[in-house]
Amino acid sequence: MTHKVDFKVPETEDFDSPHALFAELRSHCPVAWSDDMGGFWAVTKHADAKAVLENWQMFTTTVQNVVPRVATTQRRPPLHLDPPANTPYRNAIQRFLTPARLSEWEPRLETMVARFLDPWIAAGGGDICKDFSFLLPIALLAEFFNLSPDKAELIREVGAEFNMALQRQDFDLLRQKSDELYDIAADLIADRHANPRDPDEDPTASLLAVRVDGEPLADDLILGALRQFLLVGIIAPTTFIGSMAVHLARHPEHHAELTENPDLVPEALEELLRLYTPYRGFARTAREDTEISGCPIAKGDPVAIVFTSANRDEEVFPEADTYRLDREARDLLTFGRGPHMCPGAPLARVLLRETLRQLTQKTLRLEQRGGIEMTNWPEYGPLSVSFDVVE
């Protein structure tokens, strides 16, 4: 079906230009069609994004779940499955993210953040993505999934190459690196079959122990789930920490406020997660002809839920482009909503909170050095940005 083109995806962007584009769309064309990247609707208002995310009966994730469409033929639960099929995979991971378990992670993450941040500070700064924020989530994933050091290093290398291929739209290399991530996950499953572990202590063993109507989950779907958890856990924290550092450099008064009063860090993190949401292209597909806020959507149309835009919707967040710690409520869509809300969100918040705390306690100021190399759809945030550190 042919649609009237409402906007084009820019070929080049800077740190601020996506927000300007989305503000324009929210005010004049909040459900907008683009012929780029295979064609898709961009849903930019908070209420519309929330409605699409919660209405999985109409908007399925089983066809296409990001814009641009980058998935290969393998299925990656839980994101590629609608309820109730996705529930066993989510439950197997979420049992490791209860409040009691998260409290056990806090001292471990304090040590882990320091292990990578302290050398970066001691060196006077540098590229915070390459030298810090890409290393940190890999270490967390390795510990969370009980990976060996060599597997953790392999994921770091392959994950970096996958992300760069995605940014360059090099789909041949993207498929190759995706397959390598599947190989890593397959080795992990084979090891747990050969060397069983306690399902209460090991997430992969937990997935293998799940029974649905008395039957185990299929190994190929467990494989896809592990690959999904590994990749999402790498990319989002990398770009968001870069955005967080850019904000602190641009607003030394905010940095100084957190240095003086670290009790404000949790509130500051929520505001930064709102302002610099790292995903703008999670997608669904319309099961039938329908509409979003009066805009006709045809059966089979891809719909991108632009979290990065929804979290700056002025109807929900007054002075939406302004950093404010006195907001009465933050109905954030940063980690999604509905049956596909990110299961790792609680652990991600602990990691990012500790990162912000140490970054503002161990430095007096960050001064940006040079420009920002930005990610492309479906992410938002720096791929590379450097700073000088003032201690």
Side-chain angles (χ1 to χ4, degrees), residues 7-14 17-18 21 34 36-37 166-169 280 373-377:
F7 78 106
K8 288 190 64 64
V9 175
E11 291 185 8
T12 60
E13 296 179 312
D14 59 33
S17 60
L21 170 63
S34 175
D36 298 325
M37 298 188 291
L166 177 62
Q167 301 308 317
R168 293 191 298 260
Q169 304 290 288
R280 53 176 163 176
E373 182 182 358
M374 292 292 292
T375 56
N376 298 313
W377 288 69

Side-chain angles (χ1 to χ4, degrees), residues 221-300:
L221 293 181
I222 294 176
L223 173 66
L226 287 172
R227 186 262 188 216
Q228 181 69 25
F229 292 135
L230 291 172
L231 187 63
V232 173
I234 293 170
I235 294 177
T238 302
T239 59
F240 175 72
I241 290 172
S243 294
M244 192 161 61
V246 171
H247 180 92
L248 293 174
R250 287 181 167 188
H251 298 279
E253 72 279 14
H254 298 161
H255 190 143
E257 182 180 44
L258 297 178
T259 302
E260 179 69 22
N261 189 354
D263 289 343
L264 293 175
V265 164
E267 286 295 306
L269 175 63
E270 294 305 299
E271 186 68 341
L272 293 169
L273 284 168
R274 183 188 69 80
L275 284 167
Y276 307 110
T277 306
Y279 273 115
R280 53 176 163 176
F282 271 119
R284 302 291 185 265
T285 302
R287 296 181 190 268
E288 304 292 342
D289 290 351
T290 185
E291 65 175 42
I292 302 173
S293 287
C295 178
I297 308 295
K299 178 181 179 179

Side-chain angles (χ1 to χ4, degrees), residues 7 22 59 68 101 118 223 249 262 347 369:
F7 78 106
F22 297 145
F59 297 101
R101 296 233 177 173
D118 288 355
L223 173 66
L347 185 57
R369 181 199 311 165

Side-chain angles (χ1 to χ4, degrees), residues 120-352:
W120 183 78
I121 293 172
D127 187 338
I128 198 168
C129 298
K130 179 175 71 71
D131 298 331
F132 172 67
S133 70
F134 197 81
L135 303 175
L136 178 62
I138 300 296
L140 173 56
L141 285 168
E143 195 160 331
F144 185 78
F145 283 101
N146 298 309
L147 299 177
S148 62
D150 61 317
K151 281 289 186 288
E153 176 62 19
L154 184 58
I155 289 175
R156 186 190 68 77
E157 294 172 358
V158 175
E161 292 169 341
F162 180 96
N163 197 19
M164 292 305 297
L166 177 62
Q167 301 308 317
R168 293 191 298 260
Q169 304 290 288
D170 184 343
F171 292 108
D172 288 337
L173 182 60
L174 192 70
R175 282 188 287 271
Q176 177 188 333
K177 296 305 167 185
S178 178
D179 288 344
E180 290 180 23
L181 285 168
Y182 276 106
D183 291 342
I184 293 168
D187 288 345
L188 182 58
I189 293 170
D191 177 78
R192 297 304 185 263
H193 279 306
N195 306 288
R197 295 199 183 200
D198 184 347
D200 289 330
E201 301 297 331
D202 183 80
T204 306
S206 178
L207 284 163
L208 291 170
V210 169
R211 295 294 181 269
V212 178
D213 296 330
E215 296 297 321
L217 301 176
D219 268 11
D220 64 326
L221 293 181
I222 294 176
L223 173 66
L226 287 172
R227 186 262 188 216
Q228 181 69 25
F229 292 135
L230 291 172
L231 187 63
V232 173
I234 293 170
I235 294 177
T238 302
T239 59
F240 175 72
I241 290 172
S243 294
M244 192 161 61
V246 171
H247 180 92
L248 293 174
R250 287 181 167 188
H251 298 279
E253 72 279 14
H254 298 161
H255 190 143
E257 182 180 44
L258 297 178
T259 302
E260 179 69 22
N261 189 354
D263 289 343
L264 293 175
V265 164
E267 286 295 306
L269 175 63
E270 294 305 299
E271 186 68 341
L272 293 169
L273 284 168
R274 183 188 69 80
L275 284 167
Y276 307 110
T277 306
Y279 273 115
R280 53 176 163 176
F282 271 119
R284 302 291 185 265
T285 302
R287 296 181 190 268
E288 304 292 342
D289 290 351
T290 185
E291 65 175 42
I292 302 173
S293 287
C295 178
I297 308 295
K299 178 181 179 179
D301 279 355
V303 176
I305 307 103
V306 189
F307 299 168
T308 312
S309 174
N311 277 341
R312 291 198 182 207
D313 187 342
E314 296 80 358
E315 292 183 8
V316 180
F317 307 102
E319 300 179 55
D321 292 333
T322 304
Y323 169 94
R324 285 177 46 185
L325 300 188
D326 62 346
R327 296 188 185 277
E328 293 183 3
R330 292 189 184 88
D331 189 11
L332 300 187
L333 297 182
T334 306
F335 295 101
R337 186 61 58 85
H340 291 288
M341 187 169 181
C342 175
L347 185 57
R349 276 189 161 97
V350 176
L351 174 73
L352 296 172

